[in-house]
Amino acid sequence: DSGVTQTPKHLITATGQRVTLRCSPRSGDLSVYWYQQSLDQGLQFLIQYYNGEERAKGNILERFSAQQFPDLHSELNLSSLELGDSALYFCASSADGTAQETQYFGPGTRLLVL
Amino acid sequence: GNSVTQMEGPVTLSEEAFLTINCTYTATGYPSLFWYVQYPGEGLQLLLKATKADDKGSNKGFEATYRKETTSFHLEKGSVQVSDSAVYFCALSDRNDYKLSFGAGTTVTVRA
């Protein structure tokens, strides 16, 4: 158990809908990362937050947004969903968000868009 | 930009065989290197890491040495077990780009 929790574990929805994925980092970690894992793209970085502020952005679509709240939990919002958004979404956390640190991954949310 | 290339799988081995998974990288700075493992139906777990050249990371019988001259971080284990069946990801991050850049993953199956 990494100490990172993600809800829900599974999500099935229809095209055009909007969903929210939630992540709670390990106790004491200030940085949260979101990654998408799909068969065709592999593991792709989406976005990083540090202590409530956006720090880095990766291959995140404009239909996707995220935020980190004062209690440090984070939410990833996916809207106008398309079939191609079906994937496993991971949240990871680290203490200070620096390059040498280990990122601890949650169990993921499996999203299926029908 | 940063990138990681790792050997394609799948790799199928017998128990007690020697495992090696090749990983090479391209980075603009001085990266930290990681091996993560993903067991079926689970998230990613850190297996080992190395943060500077010539460092050796080790854990659970796995080893990898950070080779700056060959830009490599190959994963090895001398005697695999059925429980080592998983997908292995090589990854890097550097001080200019804190995110993890992952290789494509190598699926390893160990048969009894």
Side-chain angles (χ1 to χ4, degrees):
Chain A
D1 185 354
S2 67
V4 178
T5 60
Q6 289 188 247
T7 56
K9 196 171 174 62
H10 300 279
L11 204 45
I12 301 175
T13 189
T15 54
Q17 295 299 304
R18 173 189 167 94
V19 296
T20 297
L21 282 53
R22 183 187 168 100
C23 167
S24 293
R26 292 189 323 154
S27 177
D29 283 357
L30 297 178
S31 193
V32 168
Y33 305 77
W34 285 97
Y35 293 86
Q36 179 194 60
Q37 185 179 32
S38 62
L39 284 175
D40 55 344
Q41 297 287 328
L43 269 160
Q44 298 282 323
F45 167 73
L46 296 177
I47 198 162
Q48 179 198 6
Y49 280 84
Y50 175 77
N51 204 21
E53 299 290 325
E54 181 185 304
R55 175 176 268 185
K57 230 171 186 177
N59 300 323
I60 188 166
L61 299 171
E62 284 193 13
R63 300 183 284 108
F64 296 1
S65 64
Q67 55 184 324
Q68 186 180 27
F69 295 86
D71 67 352
L72 301 176
H73 90 273
S74 178
E75 293 181 357
L76 179 67
N77 300 296
L78 315 177
S79 61
S80 303
L81 285 167
E82 302 176 359
L83 297 178
D85 298 327
S86 296
L88 197 48
Y89 291 84
F90 286 111
C91 168
S93 74
S94 68
D96 295 321
T98 58
Q100 295 184 335
E101 285 186 324
T102 298
Q103 293 181 28
Y104 293 89
F105 283 75
T109 292
R110 186 172 295 278
L111 173 67
L112 181 59
V113 182
L114 299 174
Chain B
N2 297 337
S3 67
V4 175
T5 303
Q6 62 182 101
M7 65 183 280
E8 297 201 11
V11 174
T12 302
L13 302 164
S14 296
E15 215 166 16
E16 299 183 5
F18 182 85
L19 170 68
T20 183
I21 304 176
N22 290 339
C23 171
T24 57
Y25 66 89
T26 302
T28 52
Y30 296 93
S32 295
L33 301 174
F34 305 82
W35 277 100
Y36 278 84
V37 60
Q38 186 176 28
Y39 297 103
E42 297 184 13
L44 283 79
Q45 302 174 24
L46 177 72
L47 184 57
L48 52 84
K49 73 177 187 181
T51 58
K52 62 183 189 297
D54 300 323
D55 269 2
K56 177 187 279 188
S58 61
N59 185 27
K60 299 182 182 179
F62 290 90
E63 291 183 342
T65 300
Y66 187 162
R67 300 284 188 206
K68 189 169 181 292
E69 63 275 13
T70 54
T71 61
S72 65
F73 193 53
H74 305 320
L75 183 68
E76 296 181 336
K77 186 174 185 183
S79 177
V80 293
Q81 305 300 313
V82 172
S83 57
D84 294 324
S85 298
V87 183
Y88 293 82
F89 292 93
C90 185
L92 71 81
S93 66
D94 71 31
R95 67 186 67 184
N96 298 314
D97 191 4
Y98 300 146
K99 72 174 193 290
L100 285 168
S101 297
F102 285 92
T106 302
T107 300
V108 173
T109 302
V110 181
R111 300 194 188 283

